[in-house]
Amino acid sequence: MTESRGPIGDMPMLIGGDLVASESGRWMDSIDPATEEVLGRVPQGTAQDVDRAVAAAEKAQPGWAALSIAERAGYLHRVADALEARAADILRIEVLDTGNTIAKMRADVGKASAQIRLFAGLGGELKGSTIPATAGNLHFTLREPYGVVGRIMPFNHPINFAASRMAAPLIAGNTMVGKPSDQSPLSAGILARMAAEVLPPGVLNIVTGTGAEAGAALARHPRVKRLAFTGSVQTGMAVQRIAAEGAVKAVTLELGGKNPMSVFPDADYDRALAAAVAGMNLGVTGQSCSSITRLFLHEDLHDRFLADLAGRVSRLRVGDPMADDTQMGPVNSRAQYEKVMSHIEAARAEGARLVTGGKRPPGAQFARGFWVEPTIFADVTPEMQLAREEVFGPVLAVFRWSDLEETVAIANSLHYGLTGAVWTRDLGRALHTARRLQSGHVWVNGTAGRYRGVPFGGYRNSGHGREESLDELLSYTEEKAVNVILG
């Protein structure tokens, strides 16, 4: 079955409970990455729009924070209900706007609503503590919201990030201004319409626009004291710099990775092979920060594993992301396509061996759009660009290894540290290796999975802070100490 294509139309912003266009009157086109046709438009928000959104959030915040945890949780459950009721419409927009496959994206609304419900239930954990500092007095702490929170979202899972990441700030008593990616912004309009129906005015505000204009204005805004960003390392560093221009802020960053998977000779061969394919995240064309992009194969199984892996990857069905049997669609944008192709050309030039892929798929149906075959390079060495830089596309670098110490050193040699995977039947060896990987999220005999309540985030330049867990909830509060002097 293939869902229908076709235009989506104009989508609004949300400011103070009203569905609005930008004060500038400008609009941005959103392009179907499979066909390069215009799907729809969103307002090109300005600094003035951001300022209006922050003012609306400030106005709503005291009343929102005055609600009980149970009342705020009730609103969040209604948002989750509304998401689930509109799942089919959201799915169509998401697939057309991102190029991700419909089979992969079907789970995103469910994941978002599950995260919202998780945080609605965690609200009771916003606890302080008592401290026995003196014998005759009372010393305790309270957790209080920051006020207005800003969130800048990525293009790869738009509704998932936009909806699920509002839950922790809101249950903690903050109000929020969200800025969706300008590359896949259309589903934010659906969320805007739902929030206008379900939430009190000003609790959630959505401003679309470019990162350079609307995103920078939100990051810099002096009355947004808590900011979260998901995206590339380079943009995350820019967000930190810009945020510091406006005020002292609490900033968390969930950034990119160059994630290693190491396969030992005793690993469960068939499961490891399947995990290597799954870890490439080809249902989203490799455009996931947690994708396995460096595969370390022990010399005892390297040749066989590489041949089997290339066979599986080369047989994957690349095509219309709206078709149920498609296993990989296009990359998200022309800029992303050009970036991926530049990494492929650099790998060729530096002497990596192309095993499969490396070009636009053949056929008239791929003449337009941002298509790249799933690609594997072997004989990769640590100094190559492909070994060092995040591609954010369907490209895997394969290394041969024999010495574990050297392999761990290579895995840890980059400024990234998001995820990693270890495959072996020897539990002691697995835990030893996992502990030595300088990554924030490690799988032993697994890959690609995210688990309810387990914190996610990176070491080094892969980010700061943890999400999807109690840590995320607490990060949206400030701690106040109260000292009651009794006599």
Side-chain angles (χ1 to χ4, degrees):
M1 175 181 174
T2 301
E3 296 287 342
S4 62
R5 308 195 72 84
I8 293 167
D10 293 348
M11 289 293 184
M13 302 194 301
L14 175 65
I15 298 179
D18 296 324
L19 299 172
V20 299
S22 170
E23 55 83 30
S24 69
R26 292 178 293 164
W27 292 80
M28 301 188 309
D29 291 339
S30 191
I31 305 299
D32 184 337
T35 65
E36 301 184 55
E37 296 173 354
V38 175
L39 282 170
R41 302 189 307 168
V42 295
Q44 187 170 336
T46 65
Q48 289 74 26
D49 292 316
V50 170
D51 196 55
R52 287 194 297 141
V54 171
E58 284 184 312
K59 182 179 178 181
Q61 196 273 329
W64 178 252
L67 297 177
S68 68
I69 291 291
E71 289 170 320
R72 295 201 293 268
Y75 277 109
L76 289 182
H77 283 298
R78 287 194 281 278
V79 171
D81 291 341
L83 275 172
E84 291 162 0
R86 291 170 168 84
D89 290 339
I90 293 169
L91 176 64
R92 176 176 177 271
I93 291 173
E94 291 273 271
V95 173
L96 291 174
D97 207 18
T98 63
N100 297 338
T101 63
I102 194 167
K104 182 71 172 180
M105 296 300 281
R106 276 203 175 91
D108 269 30
V109 167
K111 290 177 181 177
S113 64
Q115 283 292 108
I116 291 170
R117 297 189 197 281
L118 171 66
F119 284 106
L122 283 176
E125 297 303 311
L126 291 166
K127 304 170 184 175
S129 58
T130 57
I131 303 107
T134 63
N137 303 304
L138 178 62
H139 309 271
F140 63 94
T141 62
L142 303 171
R143 288 198 171 272
E144 297 183 341
Y146 277 92
V148 179
V149 164
R151 180 95 207 189
I152 302 173
M153 279 85 76
F155 68 77
N156 53 347
H157 292 278
I159 199 71
N160 190 357
F161 279 104
S164 67
R165 297 309 194 267
M166 73 182 202
L170 296 192
I171 195 65
N174 302 281
T175 52
M176 180 173 156
V177 179
K179 209 295 281 183
S181 168
D182 55 4
Q183 295 177 54
S184 301
L186 294 177
S187 61
I190 297 285
L191 182 61
R193 289 168 178 162
M194 286 190 299
E197 296 170 3
V198 173
L199 292 174
V203 169
L204 177 66
N205 304 271
I206 297 172
V207 179
T208 52
T210 67
E213 190 171 10
L218 181 58
R220 186 180 290 114
H221 203 288
R223 300 196 305 279
V224 176
K225 296 298 297 293
R226 173 71 171 89
L227 182 70
F229 170 80
T230 302
S232 71
V233 171
Q234 293 79 9
T235 307
M237 294 172 73
V239 166
Q240 277 192 314
R241 288 193 298 271
I242 294 167
E245 295 172 3
V248 175
K249 299 176 186 276
V251 180
T252 52
L253 303 166
E254 202 267 89
L255 307 178
K258 193 69 180 173
N259 308 304
M261 173 175 163
S262 299
V263 183
F264 288 76
D266 68 337
D268 184 317
Y269 186 90
D270 291 335
R271 287 183 59 221
L273 183 61
V277 179
M280 291 180 71
N281 282 317
L282 295 176
V284 295
T285 324
Q287 297 166 127
S288 172
C289 59
S290 61
S291 296
I292 296 299
T293 54
R294 292 185 294 162
L295 179 62
F296 293 84
L297 300 176
H298 191 274
E299 61 183 6
D300 290 353
L301 52 72
H302 175 278
D303 292 352
R304 177 190 171 202
F305 197 107
L306 179 62
D308 289 342
L309 178 64
R312 290 197 184 193
V313 168
S314 65
R315 290 191 296 271
L316 293 175
R317 180 179 172 83
V318 180
D320 181 359
M322 296 294 285
D324 282 319
D325 60 350
T326 293
Q327 295 168 292
M328 194 181 92
V331 295
N332 184 264
S333 66
R334 179 170 298 281
Q336 195 64 25
Y337 170 80
E338 291 173 351
K339 177 186 174 186
V340 171
M341 294 307 298
S342 72
H343 279 286
I344 289 173
E345 292 310 311
R348 292 178 190 268
E350 291 182 332
R353 174 166 58 94
L354 179 64
V355 179
T356 189
K359 63 185 185 302
R360 182 182 286 268
Q365 71 269 38
F366 301 113
R368 290 179 59 82
F370 312 125
W371 301 94
V372 183
E373 292 177 332
T375 300
I376 298 174
F377 280 96
D379 303 338
V380 178
T381 56
E383 70 278 0
M384 292 180 180
Q385 177 179 306
L386 187 62
R388 295 181 290 105
E389 297 183 12
E390 183 182 38
V391 178
F392 217 65
V395 183
L396 180 67
V398 179
F399 300 73
R400 182 192 298 267
W401 71 274
S402 58
D403 181 87
L404 179 59
E405 298 304 313
E406 179 184 12
T407 301
V408 171
I410 293 170
N412 290 338
S413 64
L414 307 182
H415 64 85
Y416 300 103
L418 187 56
T419 73
V422 181
W423 278 81
T424 175
R425 298 177 194 267
D426 185 325
L427 183 58
R429 179 189 292 158
L431 294 178
H432 171 74
T433 308
R435 293 186 67 174
R436 296 185 61 203
L437 284 177
Q438 294 173 6
S439 301
H441 198 92
V442 177
W443 297 278
V444 172
N445 296 334
T447 190
R450 306 271 272 269
Y451 304 97
R452 182 179 176 90
V454 176
F456 186 84
Y459 284 11
R460 297 177 170 181
N461 282 356
S462 286
H464 168 68
R466 296 294 180 267
E467 297 186 337
E468 305 178 18
S469 63
L470 181 60
D471 304 71
E472 180 181 355
L473 174 63
L474 298 181
S475 79
Y476 285 101
T477 64
E478 296 188 274
E479 193 170 35
K480 175 184 287 183
V482 179
N483 300 279
V484 182
I485 312 305
L486 297 175

